[in-house]
Amino acid sequence: MNVAVVGAGYVGLITAAGLAEIGHRVICVDDDTRKVEVLISGRLPLYEPILEDLVKRNRQAKRLEFVSRIEDAVEKCPVIFICVGTPSLEDGETDLSSVEGVARKIAECARGYHLVVEKSTVPVQTGRRLQKYFKSRLQCEVASNPEFLSEGSGVEDFFHPDRIVVGVDSEKAAGLLKEIYQPVIQQSFACPVHASCGKRAEAPFIVTDVNSAELIKHASNSFLAMKISFINMIADLCEAVGADVEKVAEAVGMDKRIGDRFLKPGVGFGGSCFPKDLQAFVRIGRKAGCDFGLLREVEKINHQRIDLFVKKIKRELGEVSGKRIGVWGLAFKPGTDDVRTSPSLAVIRELVAEGALIRAYDPEAIEKARAELPGIEYGRDAYAVAENAEALLALTEWEDFQHLDLAKVRQVMARPLVIDGRNMFSPARMAEHGFEYVGIGRGVTGHLPVPGPKNA
Ligand code: NAD
């Protein structure tokens, strides 16, 4: 099928390349002409594992092209996915200007039937709101198909989703979306992610009304954010009373009703989705007359993370002014170069404001971080930022950091202090290498002897 994808960001590019890979002919539109030039030149404007190969292969196969004028896509494509940004307005509500701008333009150039699919995360009832642009284009329909991919595993998430949700007003719209996703639903494609991907169970295809589909996305992200804030609250208690949050999280997460994912204590959640989606959902609840106090607490706990972490640094270092501090990790999570609302950048800003001398490193995110934080130093690798540092902060849990030569790191530091905002190192291993180590919620420094068979 001919399919248009509007927006060539993290979601749009993955969607466009994924749909092309499963056989559709995709026109991906972005009004940022520089971004389109970069894509046409064969490079990517962002980092996402596997995506570069996928884009390259599908462009060569002539299934994927990039354009900057939406008109060029609409006339050829009956189905159009909107994947543009939906950032927060100052009051925390969702800025729908890009989504509405795209809908208006589609309506202007639509001829005949078009299914306009919101993939961007939007407040419930946005679909209804968009209908007004199509009043004089009665053949057109608006549907919702929220995106659940996670940066860093976005391509994998496209091909092996936990579920595909579509919110529609007609059987025709449901049928078209099912046809588009059929290879993913049936898992009948040659998997570009796993070399030997065995036959997997079908991906659930959930059809709802448009409002419910829109709401499913905000409810899912809010639930995940709630799990993170919950375990961070427990981490605070562990520090106060002398317990190990990693053990607590492990055992709590073994309960199948709870699950272990997103029970990871740390400096809190960031990125372009959770903070803004949570903010938006709280306001959606309020407007509808529902008390979303639970989610306001989730936000509050998350906001406190940065302050608590900076206090922890000051407790260890005293004054930070004039002190050299190394930072491992700038991206809001591993596997991406995205630094939007990254907790690492928030911590760095606080420390810089107090006069600390920061040198930071990230395997992928330096370029994007430099645009946000031009005034700090960036190291060429993880060892370079450790040199002469009085403390190292571990703020993004990249796999690469797990494989560093810790003896070498210790040797070049002025003081071997590691403050781990992601609990990515084991306290025992750090102690073996002679580090002073501080994690999150690790109030227990020693271990009780495990009873042997005699006294068991
Ligand atoms: P992004 O900022 O990376 O990409 C958005 C793209 O849209 C940009 O390239 C921008 O130039 C383009 N754009 C904006 N207005 C346009 C217009 N009028 N015409 C054409 N292109 C236009 O954003 P993203 O991270 O891909 O997120 C997109 C949406 O998907 C958001 O609503 C977000 O909440 C949601 N979402 C994001 C993720 C994620 O992990 N990033 C996951 C699920 C859902």
Side-chain angles (χ1 to χ4, degrees), residues 9-11 30-31 35 84 86 121 147 151 273 276 340:
Y10 291 88
V11 168
D30 203 293
D31 67 350
K35 210 173 238 189
V84 300
T86 48
T121 303
E147 180 53 62
E151 285 174 31
C273 293
K276 75 148 169 90
R340 291 178 285 183

Side-chain angles (χ1 to χ4, degrees), residues 112-318:
Y113 180 86
H114 288 280
L115 180 62
V116 180
V117 189
E118 314 160 334
K119 199 173 245 312
S120 300
T121 303
V122 293
V124 59
Q125 296 183 337
T126 298
R128 199 182 281 175
R129 197 167 143 167
L130 296 187
Q131 290 286 2
K132 69 174 183 256
Y133 297 109
F134 299 97
K135 267 198 187 125
S136 59
R137 298 270 185 276
L138 284 179
Q139 311 95 312
C140 295
E141 284 191 82
V142 177
S144 165
N145 169 219
E147 180 53 62
F148 300 101
L149 69 77
S150 173
E151 285 174 31
S153 60
V155 174
E156 165 147 19
D157 295 340
F158 176 88
F159 288 101
H160 304 298
D162 290 339
R163 74 296 207 195
I164 297 167
V165 173
V166 299
V168 291
D169 282 334
S170 75
E171 277 183 21
K172 179 172 179 176
L176 273 171
L177 287 166
K178 190 159 191 192
E179 193 184 332
I180 287 175
Y181 281 114
Q182 200 59 25
V184 177
I185 296 168
Q186 292 182 329
Q187 294 285 294
S188 60
F189 50 83
C191 182
V193 185
H194 312 97
S196 54
C197 189
K199 179 79 183 134
R200 300 211 186 186
E202 287 203 354
F205 183 76
I206 314 291
V207 182
T208 71
D209 57 283
V210 178
N211 277 352
S212 302
E214 291 168 338
L215 208 146
I216 286 166
K217 173 63 191 178
H218 270 130
S220 301
N221 270 7
S222 300
F223 193 87
L224 294 174
M226 186 175 74
K227 276 186 99 174
I228 297 172
S229 278
F230 177 83
I231 203 64
N232 278 330
M233 177 186 80
I234 301 297
D236 290 347
L237 180 64
C238 288
E239 272 183 28
V241 301
D244 181 353
V245 71
E246 289 295 326
K247 286 285 166 208
V248 175
E250 186 187 353
V252 169
M254 279 175 182
D255 187 324
K256 290 190 193 66
R257 294 167 302 175
I258 298 173
D260 59 353
R261 296 195 64 196
F262 285 76
L263 276 187
K264 278 294 294 169
V267 278
F269 55 78
S272 68
C273 293
F274 282 9
K276 75 148 169 90
D277 291 350
L278 198 58
Q279 247 187 15
F281 208 30
V282 166
R283 278 145 190 87
I284 289 165
R286 186 191 300 151
K287 269 190 176 171
C290 301
D291 183 0
F292 272 24
L294 170 68
L295 297 185
R296 284 200 301 278
E297 277 305 307
V298 172
E299 278 189 303
K300 190 175 119 197
I301 293 169
N302 198 54
H303 283 148
Q304 291 166 345
R305 293 303 101 194
I306 305 297
D307 273 359
L308 288 173
F309 192 71
V310 171
K311 274 197 191 121
K312 197 172 264 184
I313 297 166
K314 290 204 260 182
R315 195 182 64 215
E316 298 300 322
L317 283 179

Side-chain angles (χ1 to χ4, degrees), residues 1-15:
M1 199 183 295
N2 282 359
V3 177
V5 173
V6 186
Y10 291 88
V11 168
L13 262 187
I14 293 169
T15 303

